[in-house]
Amino acid sequence: MISPARLYDFLNKKNIVFYTGVPDSLLQHFLKYIQDHSSSDEHIITANEGLAIGLASGYHFATGRLPLVYLQNSGLGNIINPLTSLADKEVYSVPMLLLIGWRGKPGIKDEPQHVKMGRITKELLDVLEVPVYLLEENEEAAFISINEAIEEALCYRKPVALLVPPGVFENYEGKAIENHYPLVREQVIKTIITQLKGDETVVCTTGKIGREFYEQNELQQKKITNYFLSIGAMGHASHIALGVTKNKNRKVVMLDGDGALFMQMGALPVIAQQAPGDFIHIVINNGCHESVGGQPTAAFFADCCAIAKASGYSKTVQIINEKELTQWLQDDFFIPGLQFVEIRTNQLPGKNTGRPAGNPADWKRDFMEALQKGN
Ligand SMILES: Cc1ncc(C[n+]2csc(CCOP(=O)(O)OP(=O)(O)O)c2C)c(N)n1
């Protein structure tokens, strides 16, 4: 297997000292190593993968060096435009290494949202004319491939990809990020379900928020019958919720993550402009991408409520403890209208993160039927 420490040293010797991207679970041990060993100038986690291509380009223009951009293959969708219209050989010809976690690799069982992208990842990179090197578990072989990839990127001044299947990196736990908020995400979700009447529509973002919602709802005898788990399409769940609330006269509760919110921050002013009737946008802000390893976001640095307010949300609330949460649920939750609620939590994962049985076609049918019935 590849040691994160040895890979980091190897890249360092090759003069690669700048890392940017959006985290992925398959790369998490290496990413945690970078996080612990690079300065804040050398490692920048961007809000989405496309921005990482922009940042890497700026870094290259300023230094002449080769940057490394990391991403999950689901983020390929976010980089196609900056890749083809900025970094491409036919435009500004920017050399960079793309370290890509290969979810849904054919032959390895994975979640439904990864299957298609897993199957087309190599072809997609081929169509984009990005050379692909597969990182094998064997460290020696992997370093030879990386060396060739670096030479190709520098020689032809273009992006070159290193594709990383599951189980390639040795374990590296990493230092915990400081966070003293008492609330735990799973507990917050449980409390919210407890307080809901049961006739609301709930839309959940990508990652463990949806899985914890599913599990807590099961534990409460499927109290919420009408819910949608956006298993993929990170950052888009708030607009799924907007599409529902604009066309159905019912209370919609959207459970967002800080990473997802920041990935598509432009969603906020459009939601506010549309001023949906009865829409509660809750962001469970744990300051990190907990679902893929806990790498930090910029969401504790920012003032999410101020951003929502400036975007046009009429009511915004920040909650940081159980008392404030119950107070808000009792006093304000049932007031109709548009609300933005930021709930700050620690990074502890839930104990119950099951995945719903069945498949997306069944889940969509159930969701649409429940919306039709109004139950
Ligand atoms: C476009 C895209 N990039 C990356 C991922 C991988 N991914 C899945 S969940 C997640 C983190 C989500 O973070 P946040 O919204 O803060 O929720 P948390 O996991 O902290 O609850 C990431 C990066 C993805 N699914 N899609």
Side-chain angles (χ1 to χ4, degrees):
M1 291 179 90
I2 303 177
S3 142
R6 280 197 294 275
L7 176 58
Y8 188 78
D9 286 348
F10 178 81
L11 292 170
N12 199 37
K13 287 198 188 97
K14 294 279 162 196
N15 209 14
I16 295 176
V17 290
F18 181 70
Y19 299 91
T20 180
V22 174
D24 167 43
S25 51
L26 298 184
L27 307 175
Q28 65 173 299
H29 299 295
F30 182 54
L31 302 185
K32 286 178 191 170
Y33 193 89
I34 299 172
Q35 179 68 21
D36 287 353
H37 293 83
S38 299
S39 71
S40 55
D41 291 334
E42 295 165 333
H43 178 214
I44 300 176
I45 299 174
T46 50
N48 65 54
E49 292 83 354
L51 291 172
I53 301 289
L55 186 60
S57 301
Y59 168 83
H60 174 74
F61 299 149
T63 64
R65 287 172 139 176
L66 185 67
L68 184 146
V69 173
Y70 58 78
L71 59 144
Q72 180 176 97
N73 54 345
S74 56
L76 279 171
N78 284 341
I79 69 170
I80 288 177
N81 178 251
L83 208 56
T84 53
S85 62
L86 166 66
D88 192 81
K89 184 111 191 75
E90 292 170 43
V91 192
Y92 287 109
S93 198
V94 188
M96 58 180 74
L97 280 189
L98 307 175
L99 187 72
I100 306 175
W102 193 1
R103 295 292 305 260
K105 181 175 185 274
I108 300 178
K109 196 170 165 29
D110 210 330
E111 301 304 315
Q113 68 273 26
H114 294 298
V115 173
K116 174 79 163 252
M117 181 51 98
R119 196 167 65 237
I120 65 170
T121 291
K122 274 177 96 170
E123 283 86 343
L124 194 53
L125 289 163
D126 282 349
V127 168
L128 292 166
E129 295 166 4
V130 173
V132 183
Y133 290 80
L134 183 68
L135 272 208
E136 311 270 2
E137 255 189 58
N138 180 296
E139 192 176 272
E140 221 182 298
F143 285 4
I144 292 171
S145 300
I146 297 170
N147 205 28
E148 285 173 17
I150 292 171
E151 281 178 11
E152 185 161 4
L154 290 173
C155 177
Y156 297 101
R157 296 188 311 282
K158 63 191 291 190
V160 173
L162 297 163
L163 206 47
V164 187
V168 161
F169 287 110
E170 281 174 10
N171 206 44
Y172 176 79
E173 267 318 310
K175 295 180 197 137
I177 300 157
E178 217 163 292
N179 176 338
H180 301 295
Y181 290 105
L183 288 170
V184 182
R185 185 184 55 206
E186 184 182 66
Q187 190 59 41
V188 166
I189 292 171
K190 179 181 175 183
T191 308
I192 291 172
I193 297 172
T194 309
Q195 294 291 328
L196 293 186
K197 284 190 194 148
D199 60 356
E200 300 85 353
T201 295
V202 177
V203 177
C204 295
T205 183
T206 319
K208 288 196 199 160
I209 286 179
R211 292 169 57 188
E212 289 177 4
F213 170 83
Y214 171 78
E215 206 52 55
Q216 291 305 320
N217 194 41
E218 289 291 297
L219 290 171
Q220 296 193 41
Q221 286 73 49
K222 304 189 200 314
K223 180 173 175 186
I224 313 296
T225 49
N226 190 210
Y227 64 83
F228 183 81
L229 310 181
S230 182
I231 52 176
M234 181 172 164
H236 294 76
S238 65
H239 267 43
I240 298 172
L242 177 63
V244 170
T245 194
K246 288 286 284 178
N247 294 288
K248 282 277 163 194
N249 186 20
R250 50 191 298 164
K251 194 170 194 78
V252 174
V253 179
M254 201 267 130
L255 295 182
D256 219 343
D258 50 296
L261 174 75
F262 277 44
M263 187 170 267
Q264 298 290 348
M265 185 91 92
L268 289 182
V270 175
I271 292 171
Q273 184 190 42
Q274 291 298 318
D278 208 355
F279 186 95
I280 302 197
H281 192 164
I282 300 174
V283 176
I284 303 184
N285 182 4
N286 54 10
C288 71
H289 301 89
E290 197 279 317
S291 301
V292 292
Q295 306 83 349
T297 64
F300 282 167
F301 172 78
D303 182 341
C304 294
C305 284
I307 293 169
K309 191 104 204 149
S311 299
Y313 282 65
S314 45
K315 182 169 172 54
T316 65
V317 186
Q318 190 194 55
I319 290 167
I320 60 166
N321 56 43
E322 186 73 31
K323 190 165 162 253
E324 289 177 358
L325 179 60
T326 12
Q327 190 92 53
W328 170 72
L329 283 162
Q330 277 160 18
D331 296 351
D332 291 341
F333 179 80
F334 294 102
I335 299 173
L338 177 64
Q339 287 192 52
F340 178 91
V341 185
E342 179 199 13
I343 306 177
R344 291 203 171 196
T345 72
N346 58 45
Q347 304 155 3
L348 292 178
K351 294 185 183 73
N352 299 287
T353 44
R355 295 189 194 262
N359 58 59
D362 293 341
W363 307 330
K364 186 188 91 170
R365 186 202 54 227
D366 292 348
F367 183 57
M368 289 180 72
E369 277 176 11
L371 277 176
Q372 225 50 46
K373 281 187 214 140
N375 63 358

